[in-house]
Amino acid sequence: MATSLPPDVRARIDDMITSLGALLPPAPRAVDDDIKATVFDAIDGADKELRALNLAIHDNPELGFQEVKAHAHLVKTLTKLGFTVTNPSSLPTAFVATYSRGSGGRTFGFNAEFDALKDVGHACGHNLIATIAVAAAYGLAIALKRHNISGTVRLIGSPAEEGGGGKVILLNEGVYDGLDACVMAHPEGGFDAPGTEPEFAGQLQVGGPASLARAGFDVEFHGRGAHAGAAPWMGINALDAAVQGYTAVSMLRQQLEPSMRVHGVILGSEQWAQNIIPSYAKLSYSTRALTVAATLELRRKVLECFKAAAAATGCTIDVTALDTEVYAELRNNGPLADAYSAFMGDVFKQKIQREGMTTASTDFGNCCYAFPSIHPGFHIPAPYGSINHTAGFTAAARAPEAHAAAIKVAKGLAVLGAKFLTDDAFAKDVKHAWEKFRREVGKEADAVPGLRTPAARAAPHVDVAPQHAGHGDDGFEVL
């Protein structure tokens, strides 16, 4: 059984490794120093605008597909910075911001999320995710403009990550078509005990799943109401079915693999009264596992528990299990991850965790199957226990320290984009690594929603007039 090294021993080993590193030849630069300086200066010059955007999203939390204010703030900021903004999708709160330079060249994408959670607001820090995407896209676009680099920067604004599968819908509608690579980053924190410092500034695992796949679904039981005192035998208790199914699933957990997760809640109480046999109950559940195929098989087992509960109580059952609620596991691209981690270590002295995984899930996992991608996590200061999806993390995601951490990540991702657009050999390595991954997963990819071919797409596209403006009076350069 492995044990952790004492802190003093670990410190001595780290010092020895650092000393030996001084004997090695310097690592190759990610990009030319002048390109890096352009990216950094551009992002720093727009920081006032970026901080205002960050707070505007954070202080006006909106649920998935309802992100009207966040969408407006993002479109306004991107337009002000000089991007062309359109919405080639059926989702009103989606958008695509684009900047192109020269002829030909590759297309590098950034993904913004901006939906919040019920009751706790931006407890997953999507305000920071959106800010990073805007900052990185802007920094890279300015580098293309100033250094005459051919290529395209595209920022995709995807609604409803916390539930709804906005990216799956946009993948099916072809909004991500044409991307050669795409990146985003996610905040995390609250795991470090008081008085300790985090060992890692973030995580970016490669070589296998970096997160769990997820399948969300709803179950509805329909019974028959009756007077609970005068004639309970005339009722069919939908709440009993929900409780029995809930209990059966809890017993199923004993036989699940350690990497699997099942969790859910019972809904419908707004229709209940203690003196009436409940005629309706609903459960909202998710299953998680290492792959989509394993997740769907686990979902099947869970649904058998609910079907048995319906049979036992005499209720009828309806199941809603949408493809858009099936999120693939994250599969970070090796060359992209290596280059990003090396840059963050070299420039910001950040240590990025490269092993292990998170047991959370995201619809960006589906994107990893569609094109080369990375989804690094980054640490923000948060009190112990104030992890993602808690009110404490909501407060932490608003802090200036969290914004500063996000800006560093944005600079790293922007420089990564510059390397991808200017380094042909690197871009080829990225593509080959992704193609190798797709060959290895083989037919498992068939279970991943969002990978329909362009010819099979039938979803409506609502093109809006390009929005473009140039206002350079706030201290930043307009594209």
Side-chain angles (χ1 to χ4, degrees):
M1 181 176 177
T3 57
S4 300
L5 293 172
D8 59 329
V9 175
R10 189 172 67 185
R12 291 181 63 184
I13 292 175
D14 288 343
D15 289 343
M16 292 175 62
I17 293 173
T18 300
S19 299
L20 291 172
L23 303 176
L24 298 174
R29 292 174 298 175
V31 294
D32 290 341
D33 286 341
D34 55 347
I35 294 178
K36 186 192 83 170
T38 295
V39 168
F40 278 36
D41 289 345
I43 294 175
D44 288 339
D47 189 61
K48 181 180 178 182
E49 194 77 18
L50 294 168
R51 178 61 172 159
L53 173 65
N54 182 350
L55 296 180
I57 296 173
H58 182 280
D59 295 347
N60 296 279
E62 299 162 302
L63 300 180
F65 300 122
Q66 302 172 34
E67 313 97 328
V68 176
K69 293 180 181 178
H71 176 270
H73 287 301
L74 282 159
V75 169
K76 179 181 177 181
T77 299
L78 287 162
T79 302
K80 193 173 182 180
L81 292 172
F83 287 88
T84 298
V85 185
T86 64
N87 182 8
S89 82
S90 64
L91 303 180
T93 55
F95 65 86
V96 177
T98 306
Y99 176 79
S100 294
R101 184 77 175 180
S103 59
R106 291 174 283 273
T107 300
F108 193 82
F110 300 94
N111 205 113
E113 297 172 358
F114 38 92
D115 59 320
L117 290 154
K118 184 179 180 181
D119 296 332
V120 289
H122 278 289
C124 215
H126 289 192
N127 56 304
L128 298 172
I129 294 174
T131 301
I132 288 169
V134 173
Y138 175 66
L140 178 56
I142 289 294
L144 265 61
K145 175 185 175 183
R146 291 221 201 135
H147 300 279
N148 199 27
I149 299 169
S150 292
T152 297
V153 181
R154 193 189 304 172
L155 193 165
I156 293 90
S158 58
E161 186 274 339
E162 295 294 353
K167 296 181 192 63
V168 182
I169 296 170
L170 297 183
L171 282 165
N172 278 330
E173 294 187 4
V175 174
Y176 288 93
D177 286 0
L179 287 178
D180 294 301
C182 187
V183 300
M184 63 171 291
H186 201 296
E188 58 196 29
F191 287 97
D192 302 297
T196 64
E197 290 293 327
E199 181 179 358
F200 299 100
Q203 58 176 319
L204 184 53
Q205 298 87 348
V206 294
S211 73
L212 293 181
R214 167 194 170 269
F217 57 96
D218 292 336
V219 175
E220 295 175 285
F221 291 109
H222 302 277
R224 183 170 62 234
H227 195 295
W233 59 86
M234 299 185 70
I236 298 176
N237 198 318
L239 179 56
D240 280 352
V243 171
Q244 186 169 339
Y246 186 98
T247 303
V249 171
S250 296
M251 296 176 71
L252 174 66
R253 286 195 184 95
Q254 184 179 353
Q255 273 68 50
L256 299 184
E257 298 175 17
S259 59
M260 293 179 171
R261 301 287 188 272
V262 181
H263 46 88
V265 294
I266 299 175
L267 305 169
S269 61
E270 64 278 359
Q271 300 185 27
W272 301 336
Q274 56 86 19
N275 57 355
I276 301 174
I277 300 297
S279 62
Y280 175 81
K282 180 179 179 179
L283 300 99
S284 185
Y285 259 75
S286 286
T287 58
R288 303 182 197 247
L290 290 174
T291 65
V292 169
T295 300
L296 295 179
E297 172 60 17
L298 179 55
R299 183 181 71 180
R300 183 194 66 77
K301 293 180 178 180
V302 171
L303 287 175
E304 289 300 321
C305 294
F306 292 125
K307 291 175 183 178
T313 59
C315 290
T316 59
I317 181 173
D318 291 327
V319 176
T320 302
L322 303 176
D323 280 351
T324 52
E325 289 289 352
V326 178
Y327 294 2
E329 74 282 6
L330 283 172
R331 295 282 190 153
N332 290 312
N333 180 271
L336 286 174
D338 291 344
Y340 173 82
S341 299
F343 181 82
M344 298 302 283
D346 179 48
V347 176
F348 296 116
K349 310 306 177 187
Q350 292 188 354
K351 187 177 180 182
I352 307 297
Q353 186 177 11
R354 303 301 305 279
E355 298 177 346
M357 66 181 300
T358 175
T359 51
S361 309
T362 170
D363 55 357
F364 196 71
N366 302 58
C367 294
C368 295
Y369 277 81
F371 38 74
S373 310
I374 60 170
H375 184 282
F378 66 98
H379 178 271
I380 66 170
Y384 180 65
S386 295
I387 61 174
N388 296 62
H389 291 209
T390 68
F393 196 86
T394 304
R398 193 186 194 278
E401 294 83 359
H403 180 81
I407 291 300
K408 288 182 180 179
V409 172
K411 291 176 177 177
L413 292 178
V415 170
L416 179 67
K419 179 176 177 65
F420 183 82
L421 295 180
T422 59
D423 188 332
D424 292 340
F426 175 66
K428 186 177 293 185
D429 288 344
V430 168
K431 182 179 180 180
H432 287 171
W434 180 79
E435 291 173 340
K436 180 174 182 289
F437 151 66
R438 285 301 305 267
R439 288 195 300 270
E440 290 173 347
V441 297
K443 290 187 177 181
E444 275 194 19
D446 294 343
V448 177
L451 302 185
R452 297 162 62 191
T453 61
R457 294 192 180 102
H461 282 229
V462 181
D463 290 306
V464 299
Q467 304 169 60
H468 190 90
H471 305 286
D473 54 354
D474 291 309
F476 55 82
E477 182 176 345
V478 176
L479 295 170

